[in-house]
Coordinates of all heavy atoms in Angstrom, one line a residue:
M288 N 54.7 -5.0 44.8 CA 54.8 -6.3 45.4 C 56.1 -6.3 46.3 O 57.1 -5.8 45.9 CB 54.9 -7.4 44.4 CG 53.9 -8.5 44.7 SD 54.1 -9.9 43.5 CE 53.2 -9.2 42.1
D289 N 56.0 -7.0 47.4 CA 57.1 -7.0 48.4 C 58.0 -8.2 48.2 O 57.6 -9.3 47.7 CB 56.6 -7.0 49.8 CG 55.9 -5.7 50.2 OD1 56.4 -4.7 49.6 OD2 55.0 -5.8 50.9
F290 N 59.2 -8.1 48.6 CA 60.1 -9.3 48.7 C 59.5 -10.2 49.8 O 59.2 -9.7 50.9 CB 61.5 -8.9 49.1 CG 62.4 -8.6 47.9 CD1 62.7 -7.3 47.6 CD2 62.8 -9.7 47.1 CE1 63.5 -7.0 46.5 CE2 63.6 -9.4 46.0 CZ 63.9 -8.1 45.7
K291 N 59.5 -11.5 49.6 CA 59.1 -12.4 50.6 C 60.2 -13.4 50.8 O 60.9 -13.7 49.9 CB 57.8 -13.1 50.3 CG 56.6 -12.2 50.3 CD 55.4 -12.7 49.6 CE 54.6 -13.7 50.6 NZ 53.4 -14.1 49.9
K292 N 60.2 -14.0 52.0 CA 61.2 -15.0 52.3 C 60.5 -16.4 52.2 O 59.5 -16.6 52.8 CB 61.7 -14.8 53.8 CG 63.0 -15.6 54.0 CD 63.6 -15.3 55.4 CE 64.8 -16.1 55.6 NZ 65.1 -16.3 57.0
C293 N 61.1 -17.2 51.4 CA 60.5 -18.6 51.2 C 60.4 -19.4 52.5 O 61.4 -19.4 53.2 CB 61.3 -19.3 50.1 SG 60.7 -21.0 49.9
N294 N 59.3 -20.0 52.7 CA 59.1 -20.8 53.9 C 59.8 -22.1 53.9 O 60.0 -22.7 54.9 CB 57.6 -21.1 54.1 CG 56.8 -20.0 54.7 OD1 57.3 -19.5 55.8 ND2 55.7 -19.6 54.1
R295 N 60.2 -22.5 52.7 CA 60.9 -23.8 52.6 C 62.4 -23.6 52.6 O 63.1 -24.2 53.4 CB 60.5 -24.5 51.4 CG 59.1 -25.1 51.4 CD 58.9 -26.0 50.2 NE 59.6 -27.2 50.4 CZ 59.0 -28.3 50.7 NH1 57.7 -28.4 50.9 NH2 59.7 -29.4 50.9
C296 N 62.9 -22.8 51.7 CA 64.4 -22.7 51.5 C 65.0 -21.4 52.1 O 66.2 -21.3 52.1 CB 64.8 -22.9 50.1 SG 64.3 -21.6 49.0
G297 N 64.2 -20.5 52.4 CA 64.6 -19.2 53.0 C 65.2 -18.2 52.0 O 65.7 -17.2 52.4
C298 N 65.1 -18.5 50.7 CA 65.5 -17.5 49.8 C 64.5 -16.4 49.6 O 63.3 -16.5 50.0 CB 65.8 -18.1 48.4 SG 64.3 -18.6 47.5
F299 N 64.9 -15.2 49.1 CA 64.0 -14.1 48.9 C 63.4 -14.2 47.5 O 64.1 -14.5 46.5 CB 64.7 -12.8 49.2 CG 64.9 -12.6 50.7 CD1 66.2 -13.0 51.2 CD2 64.0 -12.1 51.5 CE1 66.5 -12.8 52.5 CE2 64.2 -12.0 52.9 CZ 65.4 -12.3 53.4
Y300 N 62.2 -13.8 47.3 CA 61.6 -13.9 46.0 C 60.4 -12.9 46.0 O 60.0 -12.4 47.0 CB 61.0 -15.3 45.7 CG 59.9 -15.7 46.6 CD1 58.6 -15.7 46.2 CD2 60.2 -16.1 48.0 CE1 57.6 -16.0 47.1 CE2 59.2 -16.4 48.8 CZ 57.9 -16.4 48.4 OH 56.9 -16.7 49.2
I301 N 59.9 -12.6 44.8 CA 58.8 -11.7 44.6 C 57.7 -12.5 44.0 O 57.7 -13.0 42.9 CB 59.1 -10.5 43.7 CG1 60.3 -9.8 44.2 CG2 57.9 -9.6 43.5 CD1 60.8 -8.6 43.3
S302 N 56.6 -12.7 44.8 CA 55.5 -13.5 44.3 C 54.3 -13.3 45.3 O 54.5 -12.9 46.4 CB 55.9 -14.9 44.1 OG 54.7 -15.7 44.0
D303 N 53.1 -13.7 44.9 CA 52.0 -13.8 45.8 C 51.9 -15.1 46.5 O 51.2 -15.2 47.5 CB 50.7 -13.6 45.0 CG 50.5 -12.1 44.7 OD1 51.0 -11.2 45.5 OD2 49.9 -11.8 43.7
S304 N 52.6 -16.1 46.1 CA 52.5 -17.4 46.7 C 53.3 -17.4 48.0 O 54.1 -16.5 48.3 CB 52.9 -18.5 45.8 OG 54.3 -18.3 45.4
N305 N 53.2 -18.5 48.7 CA 53.8 -18.6 50.0 C 55.2 -19.1 50.0 O 56.0 -19.1 51.0 CB 53.0 -19.5 51.0 CG 51.6 -18.8 51.2 OD1 51.6 -17.7 51.8 ND2 50.5 -19.5 50.9
V306 N 55.6 -19.7 48.9 CA 57.0 -20.2 48.8 C 57.5 -19.8 47.4 O 56.7 -19.3 46.5 CB 57.1 -21.8 48.9 CG1 56.7 -22.2 50.3 CG2 56.2 -22.4 47.9
C307 N 58.8 -19.9 47.2 CA 59.4 -19.4 45.9 C 59.1 -20.4 44.8 O 58.6 -21.5 45.1 CB 60.9 -19.3 46.1 SG 61.8 -20.9 46.2
S308 N 59.3 -20.0 43.6 CA 58.9 -20.8 42.4 C 59.7 -22.2 42.4 O 59.1 -23.2 41.9 CB 59.1 -20.1 41.1 OG 60.5 -19.7 41.1
N309 N 60.9 -22.2 43.0 CA 61.6 -23.5 43.1 C 60.8 -24.5 44.0 O 60.9 -25.7 43.8 CB 63.0 -23.3 43.7 CG 63.9 -22.8 42.6 OD1 63.7 -22.9 41.4 ND2 65.0 -22.1 43.1
C310 N 60.3 -24.0 45.1 CA 59.7 -24.8 46.1 C 58.2 -25.1 45.9 O 57.7 -26.0 46.5 CB 59.9 -24.2 47.5 SG 61.6 -24.1 47.9
Q311 N 57.6 -24.3 45.0 CA 56.1 -24.5 44.8 C 55.8 -25.9 44.4 O 54.8 -26.5 45.0 CB 55.7 -23.5 43.7 CG 54.1 -23.4 43.6 CD 53.5 -22.8 44.9 OE1 53.8 -21.7 45.3 NE2 52.6 -23.6 45.5
P312 N 56.5 -26.6 43.5 CA 56.1 -28.0 43.1 C 56.2 -28.9 44.3 O 55.4 -29.8 44.4 CB 57.2 -28.4 42.1 CG 57.7 -27.0 41.5 CD 57.6 -26.1 42.7
K313 N 57.2 -28.7 45.2 CA 57.4 -29.6 46.4 C 56.2 -29.3 47.3 O 55.7 -30.3 47.9 CB 58.7 -29.2 47.1 CG 59.9 -29.5 46.3 CD 61.2 -29.1 47.1 CE 62.4 -28.8 46.2 NZ 63.4 -28.1 46.9
D314 N 55.8 -28.1 47.5 CA 54.6 -27.8 48.3 C 53.4 -28.5 47.7 O 52.7 -29.1 48.5 CB 54.4 -26.3 48.3 CG 54.8 -25.6 49.6 OD1 55.7 -26.2 50.3 OD2 54.1 -24.6 50.0
N315 N 53.2 -28.4 46.4 CA 52.0 -29.0 45.8 C 52.0 -30.5 46.0 O 51.0 -31.1 46.3 CB 52.0 -28.6 44.3 CG 51.7 -27.2 44.0 OD1 51.3 -26.5 44.9 ND2 52.1 -26.7 42.9
L316 N 53.2 -31.1 45.9 CA 53.3 -32.5 46.0 C 52.9 -33.0 47.5 O 52.2 -33.9 47.7 CB 54.7 -33.0 45.7 CG 55.0 -34.4 45.3 CD1 54.6 -34.6 43.9 CD2 56.5 -34.8 45.5
E317 N 53.5 -32.2 48.4 CA 53.2 -32.6 49.8 C 51.7 -32.3 50.2 O 51.2 -33.0 51.0 CB 54.2 -31.8 50.7 CG 55.6 -32.3 50.6 CD 56.5 -31.7 51.6 OE1 56.2 -30.8 52.3 OE2 57.7 -32.3 51.7
I318 N 51.2 -31.2 49.7 CA 49.8 -31.0 50.0 C 48.9 -32.1 49.4 O 47.9 -32.5 50.0 CB 49.4 -29.6 49.4 CG1 50.0 -28.5 50.2 CG2 47.8 -29.4 49.4 CD1 49.9 -27.1 49.6
A319 N 49.2 -32.6 48.2 CA 48.5 -33.7 47.6 C 48.7 -34.9 48.5 O 47.7 -35.7 48.7 CB 49.0 -34.0 46.2
K320 N 49.9 -35.2 49.0 CA 50.1 -36.3 49.9 C 49.3 -36.2 51.2 O 48.7 -37.2 51.6 CB 51.6 -36.3 50.3 CG 52.4 -37.3 49.6 CD 53.8 -37.4 50.4 CE 54.9 -37.7 49.4 NZ 56.2 -37.7 50.1
L321 N 49.3 -35.0 51.7 CA 48.5 -34.7 52.9 C 47.0 -35.0 52.7 O 46.3 -35.6 53.5 CB 48.8 -33.3 53.4 CG 48.0 -32.8 54.6 CD1 48.3 -33.7 55.8 CD2 48.3 -31.4 54.9
N322 N 46.5 -34.5 51.6 CA 45.1 -34.7 51.3 C 44.8 -36.1 51.1 O 43.7 -36.6 51.5 CB 44.7 -33.9 50.0 CG 44.5 -32.4 50.3 OD1 44.1 -32.0 51.4 ND2 44.9 -31.6 49.4
N323 N 45.7 -36.9 50.4 CA 45.5 -38.3 50.3 C 45.4 -39.0 51.7 O 44.6 -39.9 51.9 CB 46.6 -39.0 49.5 CG 46.5 -38.7 48.1 OD1 45.4 -38.5 47.6 ND2 47.6 -38.9 47.3
Y324 N 46.3 -38.6 52.5 CA 46.4 -39.2 53.9 C 45.1 -39.0 54.6 O 44.5 -39.9 55.2 CB 47.5 -38.6 54.7 CG 47.7 -39.2 56.0 CD1 48.6 -40.3 56.2 CD2 47.0 -38.7 57.1 CE1 48.7 -40.8 57.5 CE2 47.1 -39.2 58.4 CZ 48.0 -40.3 58.5 OH 48.1 -40.9 59.8
I325 N 44.6 -37.7 54.5 CA 43.3 -37.4 55.2 C 42.1 -38.2 54.6 O 41.3 -38.7 55.3 CB 43.1 -35.9 55.1 CG1 44.1 -35.1 56.0 CG2 41.7 -35.5 55.7 CD1 44.1 -33.6 55.8
E326 N 42.1 -38.3 53.3 CA 41.1 -39.1 52.6 C 41.1 -40.5 53.1 O 40.1 -41.2 53.3 CB 41.4 -39.1 51.1 CG 40.2 -38.6 50.3 CD 40.5 -38.4 48.9 OE1 40.9 -39.3 48.2 OE2 40.5 -37.2 48.4
K327 N 42.3 -41.1 53.2 CA 42.5 -42.5 53.6 C 42.1 -42.8 55.1 O 41.4 -43.7 55.4 CB 43.9 -42.9 53.3 CG 44.1 -44.4 53.0 CD 45.5 -44.6 52.4 CE 45.8 -46.1 52.3 NZ 47.2 -46.3 51.9
Y328 N 42.7 -41.9 55.9 CA 42.6 -42.2 57.4 C 41.6 -41.3 58.1 O 41.4 -41.4 59.3 CB 44.0 -42.1 58.0 CG 45.0 -43.1 57.4 CD1 45.9 -42.6 56.5 CD2 44.9 -44.4 57.8 CE1 46.8 -43.5 56.0 CE2 45.8 -45.3 57.2 CZ 46.8 -44.9 56.3 OH 47.7 -45.7 55.8
G329 N 41.0 -40.3 57.4 CA 40.2 -39.4 58.0 C 41.0 -38.3 58.8 O 42.2 -38.5 58.9
N330 N 40.3 -37.3 59.2 CA 41.1 -36.2 59.9 C 40.9 -36.2 61.4 O 41.2 -35.3 62.0 CB 40.7 -34.8 59.3 CG 39.2 -34.6 59.4 OD1 38.5 -35.3 60.1 ND2 38.8 -33.5 58.9
N331 N 40.5 -37.3 61.9 CA 40.4 -37.5 63.3 C 41.4 -38.5 63.8 O 41.9 -39.3 63.1 CB 39.0 -38.0 63.7 CG 37.9 -36.9 63.4 OD1 38.0 -35.8 63.8 ND2 36.9 -37.4 62.6
N332 N 41.7 -38.4 65.1 CA 42.5 -39.4 65.8 C 43.9 -39.5 65.2 O 44.5 -40.6 65.2 CB 41.8 -40.8 65.7 CG 40.5 -40.7 66.3 OD1 40.3 -40.1 67.3 ND2 39.5 -41.4 65.7
C333 N 44.4 -38.5 64.6 CA 45.8 -38.5 64.1 C 46.5 -37.3 64.6 O 45.9 -36.2 64.6 CB 45.9 -38.7 62.6 SG 45.0 -37.5 61.7
S334 N 47.7 -37.5 65.1 CA 48.5 -36.3 65.5 C 49.4 -35.9 64.3 O 49.6 -36.6 63.4 CB 49.4 -36.7 66.7 OG 50.4 -37.5 66.3
L335 N 49.9 -34.7 64.4 CA 50.7 -34.2 63.4 C 52.0 -35.0 63.3 O 52.5 -35.2 62.2 CB 51.1 -32.7 63.7 CG 50.1 -31.6 63.3 CD1 50.7 -30.2 63.5 CD2 49.6 -31.8 61.9
D336 N 52.5 -35.5 64.4 CA 53.6 -36.4 64.4 C 53.4 -37.6 63.6 O 54.3 -38.0 62.8 CB 54.0 -36.8 65.9 CG 54.8 -35.6 66.6 OD1 55.4 -34.8 65.9 OD2 54.7 -35.6 67.8
E337 N 52.2 -38.2 63.8 CA 51.9 -39.5 63.0 C 51.8 -39.2 61.6 O 52.3 -39.9 60.7 CB 50.6 -40.0 63.5 CG 50.6 -40.8 64.8 CD 49.2 -41.2 65.2 OE1 48.6 -42.1 64.6 OE2 48.7 -40.6 66.2
I338 N 51.2 -38.1 61.2 CA 51.0 -37.7 59.8 C 52.4 -37.4 59.2 O 52.7 -37.9 58.1 CB 50.2 -36.5 59.7 CG1 48.7 -36.7 60.2 CG2 50.1 -36.0 58.2 CD1 47.9 -35.5 60.2
S339 N 53.2 -36.8 60.0 CA 54.6 -36.4 59.5 C 55.4 -37.7 59.2 O 56.0 -37.8 58.2 CB 55.3 -35.6 60.6 OG 56.6 -35.4 60.2
V340 N 55.3 -38.7 60.1 CA 56.0 -39.9 60.0 C 55.5 -40.7 58.7 O 56.2 -41.2 57.9 CB 55.9 -40.8 61.2 CG1 56.5 -42.2 60.9 CG2 56.7 -40.2 62.3
S341 N 54.2 -40.7 58.6 CA 53.6 -41.5 57.5 C 53.8 -40.8 56.1 O 53.9 -41.5 55.1 CB 52.0 -41.6 57.7 OG 51.8 -42.2 58.9
T342 N 53.8 -39.5 56.1 CA 53.9 -38.8 54.8 C 55.3 -38.3 54.5 O 55.5 -38.0 53.3 CB 52.9 -37.6 54.8 OG1 53.3 -36.7 55.8 CG2 51.5 -38.0 54.9
G343 N 56.1 -38.2 55.5 CA 57.4 -37.7 55.3 C 57.5 -36.2 55.2 O 58.5 -35.6 54.8
I344 N 56.4 -35.6 55.5 CA 56.3 -34.1 55.6 C 56.6 -33.6 56.9 O 56.2 -34.1 57.9 CB 54.9 -33.6 55.2 CG1 54.4 -34.2 53.8 CG2 54.8 -32.1 55.2 CD1 52.9 -34.0 53.6
S345 N 57.5 -32.6 57.0 CA 57.9 -32.1 58.4 C 56.7 -31.5 59.1 O 55.8 -30.9 58.4 CB 59.0 -31.1 58.2 OG 58.5 -29.9 57.7
V346 N 56.7 -31.5 60.4 CA 55.6 -31.0 61.2 C 55.5 -29.5 60.9 O 54.4 -28.9 60.8 CB 55.9 -31.2 62.7 CG1 54.8 -30.5 63.6 CG2 55.8 -32.7 63.0
K347 N 56.6 -28.8 60.7 CA 56.6 -27.4 60.4 C 55.8 -27.1 59.1 O 54.9 -26.2 59.1 CB 58.0 -26.9 60.3 CG 58.2 -25.4 60.1 CD 59.6 -25.1 59.8 CE 59.7 -23.7 59.1 NZ 60.8 -23.6 58.2
N348 N 56.1 -27.9 58.1 CA 55.4 -27.7 56.8 C 53.9 -28.1 57.0 O 53.0 -27.5 56.4 CB 56.0 -28.5 55.7 CG 57.2 -27.8 55.2 OD1 57.2 -26.6 55.2 ND2 58.2 -28.5 54.6
L349 N 53.6 -29.2 57.7 CA 52.2 -29.6 58.0 C 51.4 -28.4 58.6 O 50.3 -28.1 58.1 CB 52.1 -30.8 58.9 CG 52.5 -32.2 58.3 CD1 52.6 -33.2 59.4 CD2 51.5 -32.6 57.2
N350 N 52.0 -27.8 59.6 CA 51.3 -26.7 60.2 C 51.0 -25.6 59.2 O 50.0 -25.0 59.2 CB 52.2 -26.1 61.3 CG 52.0 -26.8 62.7 OD1 50.8 -27.1 63.0 ND2 53.0 -27.2 63.4
R351 N 52.0 -25.3 58.4 CA 51.9 -24.3 57.3 C 50.7 -24.6 56.4 O 49.9 -23.8 56.0 CB 53.2 -24.1 56.6 CG 53.2 -22.9 55.7 CD 54.7 -22.6 55.4 NE 55.4 -23.7 54.8 CZ 55.3 -24.0 53.5 NH1 54.5 -23.3 52.7 NH2 56.0 -24.9 53.0
Y352 N 50.7 -25.9 55.9 CA 49.7 -26.3 54.9 C 48.3 -26.2 55.6 O 47.3 -25.7 54.9 CB 49.9 -27.7 54.5 CG 51.2 -27.9 53.8 CD1 51.8 -29.2 53.8 CD2 51.8 -26.9 53.0 CE1 53.1 -29.4 53.2 CE2 53.0 -27.1 52.4 CZ 53.6 -28.4 52.5 OH 54.8 -28.6 51.9
I353 N 48.2 -26.6 56.8 CA 46.9 -26.5 57.5 C 46.4 -25.1 57.7 O 45.3 -24.8 57.4 CB 47.0 -27.3 58.9 CG1 47.2 -28.7 58.6 CG2 45.8 -27.0 59.7 CD1 47.8 -29.5 59.9
N354 N 47.4 -24.2 58.0 CA 47.0 -22.8 58.2 C 46.7 -22.1 56.8 O 45.7 -21.4 56.7 CB 48.1 -22.0 58.9 CG 48.3 -22.4 60.3 OD1 47.3 -22.8 61.0 ND2 49.5 -22.3 60.9
E355 N 47.5 -22.4 55.9 CA 47.4 -21.7 54.6 C 46.2 -22.3 53.8 O 45.6 -21.5 53.0 CB 48.7 -21.9 53.8 CG 49.8 -21.0 54.3 CD 51.1 -21.3 53.6 OE1 51.1 -22.1 52.6 OE2 52.1 -20.8 54.0
N356 N 45.9 -23.5 53.9 CA 44.9 -24.1 53.0 C 43.6 -24.5 53.7 O 42.7 -25.0 53.1 CB 45.5 -25.4 52.4 CG 46.7 -25.1 51.5 OD1 46.6 -24.5 50.5 ND2 47.9 -25.5 52.0
G357 N 43.6 -24.1 55.0 CA 42.3 -24.4 55.7 C 42.0 -25.8 55.8 O 40.8 -26.2 55.8
I358 N 43.0 -26.7 55.8 CA 42.8 -28.1 55.9 C 42.3 -28.4 57.3 O 43.0 -27.9 58.3 CB 44.1 -28.9 55.6 CG1 44.4 -28.8 54.1 CG2 43.9 -30.4 55.9 CD1 45.7 -29.3 53.7
N359 N 41.3 -29.2 57.4 CA 40.7 -29.3 58.7 C 41.1 -30.6 59.4 O 40.7 -31.7 58.9 CB 39.1 -29.3 58.5 CG 38.4 -29.3 59.9 OD1 39.0 -29.0 60.9 ND2 37.1 -29.7 59.8
I360 N 41.9 -30.5 60.4 CA 42.4 -31.7 61.1 C 42.0 -31.5 62.6 O 42.4 -30.5 63.2 CB 43.9 -31.9 61.0 CG1 44.2 -32.2 59.5 CG2 44.4 -33.1 61.9 CD1 45.7 -32.5 59.2
S361 N 41.3 -32.4 63.2 CA 41.1 -32.3 64.6 C 42.1 -33.1 65.4 O 42.3 -34.2 65.2 CB 39.7 -32.9 65.0 OG 39.0 -33.3 63.8
L362 N 42.8 -32.3 66.2 CA 43.9 -33.0 67.0 C 43.5 -33.1 68.4 O 42.7 -32.4 68.9 CB 45.2 -32.1 66.8 CG 45.7 -31.9 65.4 CD1 46.7 -30.8 65.3 CD2 46.2 -33.2 64.8
Ligands
ZN630 ZN1 62.1 -21.8 48.2

């Protein structure tokens, strides 16, 4: 297994996941928030900026969740 650099805090770690074990719970929380948002407002007619403001998740992390989790948002 290779060293990976955490997408959230930048530390190095060894794991198959996309962030280190410290940041995994934060990722899970934000992904849950994002899914709630999509459930509530639908995945149309919303920009990443709007979602970011409403959920408090950074645009950078939103992009990552969408890419990593195949979350379908039409922008
Ligand atoms: Zn981390």
Side-chain angles (χ1 to χ4, degrees):
M288 230 183 283
D289 294 326
F290 273 108
K291 288 166 85 176
K292 195 175 179 206
C293 176
N294 275 311
R295 290 189 72 102
C296 68
C298 75
F299 290 94
Y300 64 101
I301 302 175
S302 167
D303 278 333
S304 61
N305 293 302
V306 293
C307 73
S308 54
N309 283 338
C310 296
Q311 191 66 59
K313 297 177 200 165
D314 253 28
N315 291 342
L316 202 78
E317 289 190 348
I318 290 168
K320 260 194 211 171
L321 176 58
N322 282 325
N323 280 341
Y324 183 92
I325 293 170
E326 232 169 65
K327 205 168 170 187
Y328 299 104
N330 59 6
N331 294 306
N332 304 320
C333 53
S334 71
L335 282 186
D336 282 335
E337 281 173 75
I338 299 172
S339 176
V340 169
S341 303
T342 57
I344 304 169
S345 72
V346 172
K347 185 184 158 215
N348 278 332
L349 284 173
N350 274 316
R351 190 160 58 78
Y352 299 149
I353 291 163
N354 290 332
E355 286 172 5
N356 299 290
I358 293 171
N359 188 19
I360 295 181
S361 355
L362 300 168

